[in-house]
């Protein structure tokens, strides 16, 4: 109902769509970019684009996938344009978690390791991995969404997972040998 109303020019209805999809798109953009501020900018740009071309959406049932595609494309293009570091941590969230200090430090360290490992992947590899793991899309849906053959989707996901495992092993091994005596 909100979608149809938004297509008919109802800005409040589009506002409902934004609130409904915003967090999910933010997680996806963050997975590609690794920077919350950039992810917020990308999501905002994605919604602006969606609003401006809403009349071009042929299948209203595909709205969510259409938004995902816009967001992934914008995030990949943003990453290409900006050379910001993947190592930014969302410390505010960790500090507000209520965890004991030792556990907070461990959580921050694991996030840092994950961010560093993800930072070794291309935006395209991070995108397919996020769509598979975060959005729980099938290989077919990812291929359709990104305009890729299913074999390419499978190989990108496989490559991304292998690189992630290798990066984590490398990080774990370097930390074991780097202790203070």
């Amino acid at each position: 109902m909100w979608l149809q109303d938004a297509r008919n020019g109802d800005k409040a209805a589009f506002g409902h769509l934004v609130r409904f999809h915003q967090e999910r798109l933010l997680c996806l953009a963050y997975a590609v970019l690794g920077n919350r501020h950039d992810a917020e900018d990308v999501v905002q740009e994605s919604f602006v684009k969606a609003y401006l071309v809403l009349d071009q959406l042929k299948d209203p049932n595909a709205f969510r996938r259409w938004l995902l595609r816009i967001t992934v494309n914008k995030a990949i293009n943003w990453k290409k344009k900006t050379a910001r570091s993947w190592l930014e941590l969302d410390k505010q969230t960790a500090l507000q978690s209520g965890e004991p200090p030792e556990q907070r430090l461990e959580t921050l360290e694991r996030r840092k390791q994950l961010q560093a490992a993800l930072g070794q992947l291309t935006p395209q590899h991070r995108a397919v991995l996020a769509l598979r793991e975060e959005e729980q899309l099938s290989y077919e849906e990812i291929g359709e969404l990104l305009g890729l053959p299913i074999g390419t989707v499978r190989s990108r996901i496989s490559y991304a997972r292998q690189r992630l495992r290798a990066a984590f092993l490398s990080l774990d091994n370097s930390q074991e040998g780097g202790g203070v005596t």
Side-chain angles (χ1 to χ4, degrees), residues 13-173:
F14 191 77
H16 286 292
L17 290 170
V18 168
R19 285 186 291 284
F20 185 77
H21 293 282
Q22 189 168 19
E23 193 62 34
R24 180 162 237 142
L25 295 181
L26 187 59
C27 290
L28 177 61
Y30 183 79
V32 175
L33 298 168
N35 178 298
R36 181 158 178 94
H37 297 292
D38 288 349
E40 289 169 350
D41 288 344
V42 162
V43 169
Q44 183 175 2
E45 285 184 18
S46 298
F47 279 121
V48 168
K49 179 176 182 173
Y51 183 77
L52 293 174
V53 296
L54 196 55
D55 59 331
Q56 295 177 14
L57 177 64
K58 292 176 178 58
D59 180 7
N61 294 325
F63 181 72
R64 178 178 162 263
R65 279 189 271 150
W66 184 66
L67 269 178
L68 291 172
R69 183 177 192 154
I70 290 171
T71 304
V72 166
N73 289 338
K74 287 227 172 263
I76 289 172
N77 289 336
W78 186 285
K79 188 68 175 175
K80 287 178 184 175
K81 285 191 271 185
T82 60
R84 297 196 180 165
S85 171
W86 239 100
L87 297 177
E88 179 187 313
L89 293 175
D90 190 355
K91 293 178 183 163
Q92 192 69 13
T93 303
L95 293 175
Q96 294 174 351
S97 69
E99 295 175 308
E102 303 81 27
Q103 194 171 352
R104 263 188 275 156
L105 287 174
E106 188 175 319
T107 299
L108 281 172
E109 188 57 36
R110 289 313 260 173
R111 281 188 190 170
K112 185 177 177 181
Q113 289 175 342
L114 178 60
Q115 300 253 344
L118 286 169
Q120 296 178 18
L121 300 176
T122 66
Q124 292 81 1
H125 285 101
R126 286 193 301 269
V128 294
L129 195 60
L131 289 169
R132 179 69 179 155
E133 301 301 330
E134 296 289 327
E135 294 298 321
Q136 300 292 307
L137 296 181
S138 69
Y139 294 109
E140 293 81 9
E141 289 171 318
I142 295 169
E144 182 182 312
L145 186 75
L146 299 177
L148 297 171
I150 193 165
T152 302
V153 171
R154 287 183 191 278
S155 67
R156 283 188 184 176
I157 290 172
S158 175
Y159 176 83
R161 286 176 176 159
Q162 287 172 356
R163 293 286 302 175
L164 225 45
R165 273 192 292 276
F168 259 109
L169 287 174
S170 171
L171 288 169
D172 283 343
N173 289 338

